[in-house]
Amino acid sequence: MTQAPTAAKTSRRRHDREIIALALPAFGALVAEPLFVMVDSAVIGHLGTPQLAGLGIAATLLMTAVSVFVFLAYATTAAVARRVGAGDLQAAIRQGMDGIWLALLLGAAVIAIVLPAAPWLVDVFGASDTAAPYAITYLRISSLGIPAMLVVLAATGVLRGLQDTKTPLYVAVGGFTANALLNVGLVYGAGFGIAGSAWGTVIAQCGMAAAYLVVVVRGARKHGASLRPDAAGIRACAQAGAPLLVRTLSLRAVLVIATAVAARLGDADVAAHQIILSLWSLLAFALDAIAIAGQAIIGRYLGAGDAKGAQEACRRMVQWGIASGVVLGVLVAVSRPLFIPLFTSDQVVRDALLTALLVVAVSQPISGIVFVLDGVLMGAGDGRYLAWAMLATLAVFTPVALLVPVLGGGLTALWWAMTLMMAVRMVTLWLRARSGRWIVTGATR
């Protein structure tokens, strides 16, 4: 009578230890990433408004270009974790090297596009005549660091697949510190202005990429894995990442549509919307940390042929996602009156935030389930389903969001539409998880 409950409790504790060990460092690394732009903004903000406006446009373009290729981390994590589970560390690191080579190729392609197209891209974003030169300068210089940024994504995926999220945390903290020091030194000390900030970011990103490569190369030599580019392996990485690229682009489209709708609601609503998006992104980091743990753990279990272990880990991580979502939701709901004044003194914006943030709070448990199941299916290499599910979600969200201003709805209505979007994602992911079709064991899917 007591043996089964004891075994179940032991299993939960084992999963909990694994989740915590991977998720906490992953959260720290995730939070460090947006701090790069924050440091740049703080340093450049003292140079003048045109410089800051130029940075805002260039940084948005730069981060969009990089975030599109986040599949380099996700697909690599799943593929490497499977081979770790299968006990073939040589193949795991070889798979990781293929991802890194793909990152270098994609980075070179992006540079070839951005350098000549920088003036046109800045103009499309509606930069003023005073801000445009600064935006072009920052974008062109910073684009030189894109290959390093993509290598960081791929190498992060390698280490996550190897069940190591501590090294990415250390590298992220070191990169943030170097970026801050370089920005101050080059902008003010050397007098390079906005160009100095861009060069500081490039140097910091290259340093991070170098640190990752040292770790990966050391592992490759230890386990006898080849460091040379393999055309077939690189092509396989690209094919595995293509569905996740579709998923990411669809999700980006949701955020762009939501911002465009908010802009049609009025200045106060779009200002409040941007504040909510910033908070929403921060909350997403906390939930995404569990998803990253899910990618690594699920991939390892499936690679080891342990379908039951994968199912148990999935179930436990969903419980973690729900619990985390409830906690975050309560914190947002209770603390709204306290942190809203930190963002704005405009009473109209504050009023819009007060109600809309309550909707965000209510949606957090849903978000917790979505992020976890997203990570589970990524870890299982189920990218094709994730792509179709996100396209279906986009198809549902778009007409609902566009109807908000037509029907006279405000920001709160828009965020109910965002909650609907997350609910649709939850249903599609839950149906897949329940079906068990994602469970494909072996070193490769």
Side-chain angles (χ1 to χ4, degrees):
M1 292 291 291
T2 59
Q3 188 173 2
T6 301
K9 188 178 293 185
T10 301
S11 177
R12 285 198 301 271
R13 286 175 179 171
R14 184 180 74 252
H15 291 310
D16 288 346
R17 285 195 297 269
E18 287 184 328
I19 293 167
I20 293 171
L22 291 171
L24 283 180
F27 174 69
L30 287 169
V31 170
E33 291 174 11
L35 293 179
F36 271 80
V37 177
M38 289 181 63
V39 168
D40 289 2
S41 299
V43 173
I44 293 175
H46 292 286
L47 296 177
T49 300
Q51 289 91 330
L52 186 58
L55 170 67
I57 293 169
T60 299
L61 287 165
L62 191 67
M63 295 313 297
T64 298
V66 173
S67 64
V68 163
F69 298 112
V70 72
F71 71 83
L72 287 166
Y74 294 158
T76 304
T77 297
V80 171
R82 273 185 176 270
R83 286 161 176 77
V84 169
D88 192 347
L89 288 177
Q90 183 186 70
I93 297 176
R94 174 64 259 179
Q95 180 76 35
M97 286 305 305
D98 291 336
I100 290 172
W101 281 112
L102 176 61
L104 287 170
L105 291 173
L106 290 172
V110 174
I111 289 178
I113 294 171
V114 172
L115 280 178
W120 177 79
L121 291 169
V122 169
D123 184 61
V124 167
F125 264 66
S128 66
D129 291 339
T130 54
Y134 297 110
I136 294 169
T137 297
Y138 190 92
L139 182 59
R140 278 182 165 160
I141 295 173
S142 294
S143 68
L144 300 177
I146 287 178
M149 295 179 193
L150 298 188
V151 166
V152 166
L153 284 177
T156 299
V158 176
L159 294 181
R160 288 173 181 171
L162 293 171
Q163 317 295 297
D164 176 9
T165 55
K166 290 183 179 179
T167 299
L169 172 61
Y170 300 148
V171 174
V173 171
F176 165 72
T177 304
N179 182 57
L181 294 174
L182 286 166
N183 264 262
V184 173
L186 294 175
V187 172
Y188 300 125
F192 289 163
I194 195 169
S197 177
W199 280 117
T201 299
V202 169
I203 295 170
Q205 291 288 351
C206 288
M208 291 173 66
Y212 274 120
L213 288 175
V214 167
V215 175
V216 174
V217 169
R218 186 182 299 155
R221 288 175 175 169
K222 179 180 179 181
H223 298 286
S226 174
L227 298 174
R228 295 179 179 179
D230 176 64
I234 294 172
R235 186 163 54 250
C237 285
Q239 290 171 347
L244 295 180
L245 175 62
V246 173
R247 167 203 167 274
T248 301
L249 289 173
S250 301
L251 183 56
R252 295 292 300 183
V254 165
L255 299 178
V256 169
I257 291 168
T259 300
V261 169
R264 295 177 62 186
L265 299 177
D267 290 347
D269 281 333
V270 74
H273 178 72
Q274 291 304 315
I275 293 171
I276 294 175
L277 268 183
S278 299
L279 177 63
W280 195 66
S281 299
L282 180 61
L283 296 172
F285 285 139
L287 299 174
D288 202 27
I290 304 174
I292 287 170
Q295 294 171 29
I297 293 170
I298 294 298
R300 192 189 75 233
Y301 274 117
L302 293 177
D306 189 353
K308 182 181 179 182
Q311 288 177 314
E312 290 177 351
C314 173
R315 191 177 304 113
R316 189 57 178 163
M317 280 183 283
V318 168
Q319 293 170 354
W320 269 81
I322 295 172
S324 300
V326 169
V327 171
L328 292 174
V330 170
L331 285 174
V332 171
V334 172
S335 62
R336 286 174 304 146
L338 300 177
F339 67 75
I340 286 177
L342 299 176
F343 290 97
T344 178
S345 58
D346 188 323
Q347 190 58 47
V348 178
V349 177
R350 287 184 179 184
D351 291 341
L353 282 169
L354 198 63
T355 307
L357 280 172
L358 193 58
V359 178
V360 173
V362 170
S363 70
Q364 287 310 296
I366 298 174
S367 297
I369 297 172
V370 168
F371 276 85
V372 166
L373 291 180
D374 210 34
V376 166
L377 296 184
M378 283 183 190
D382 204 10
R384 185 171 297 179
Y385 181 84
L386 289 172
W388 283 111
M390 197 61 226
L391 285 171
T393 302
L394 176 62
V396 172
F397 170 77
T398 301
V400 174
L402 294 178
L403 281 174
V404 169
V406 174
L407 298 177
L411 186 65
T412 301
L414 175 59
W415 275 92
W416 275 120
M418 289 288 286
T419 301
L420 171 66
M421 179 271 295
M422 294 301 289
V424 172
R425 289 186 71 191
M426 180 183 70
V427 171
T428 58
L429 297 175
W430 178 78
L431 288 173
R432 186 64 167 183
R434 187 183 181 190
S435 73
R437 294 177 183 174
W438 57 277
I439 300 175
V440 179
T441 58
T444 58
R445 182 176 172 84

